[in-house]
């Protein structure tokens, strides 16, 4: 897969894959996709806790949407 190149340089069938290609890629990369989903989940949970503690301490975190959203 073209992980280190801009997506615009990928072959058209990978930029706009059909459903069969998507299914094939999901099967082929299932382990990698699960790993990255899990890491993102852990990061989200950690940032949610950081935000809660920051708000409790009257500290405002400024950043992109994942930092500003979460623990309400």
């Amino acid at each position: 897969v073209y992980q280190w190149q801009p997506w615009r340089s990928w072959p058209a069938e990978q930029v706009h894959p059909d459903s069969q290609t998507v299914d094939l890629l999901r099967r082929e990369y299932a382990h990698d996709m699960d790993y990255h989903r899990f890491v993102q989940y852990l990061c989200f949970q950690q940032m949610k806790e950081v935000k809660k503690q920051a708000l409790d301490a009257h500290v405002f975190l400024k950043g992109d949407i994942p930092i500003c959203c979460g623990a309400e």
Side-chain angles (χ1 to χ4, degrees), residues 15-30:
V15 174
H16 302 288
D18 59 31
S19 61
Q20 286 180 319
T21 301
V22 171
D23 290 341
L24 175 68
L25 291 171
R26 281 187 179 141
R27 284 192 302 274
E28 186 175 346
Y29 293 100

Side-chain angles (χ1 to χ4, degrees), residues 14-51:
Q14 290 189 1
V15 174
H16 302 288
D18 59 31
S19 61
Q20 286 180 319
T21 301
V22 171
D23 290 341
L24 175 68
L25 291 171
R26 281 187 179 141
R27 284 192 302 274
E28 186 175 346
Y29 293 100
H31 178 77
D32 294 328
M33 292 167 67
D34 289 343
Y35 169 79
H36 288 286
R37 264 193 294 270
F38 182 66
V39 169
Q40 287 180 342
Y41 169 77
L42 291 178
C43 289
F44 177 79
Q45 293 301 108
Q46 291 170 357
M47 281 305 302
K48 195 163 101 173
E49 182 60 27
V50 166
K51 181 180 179 189

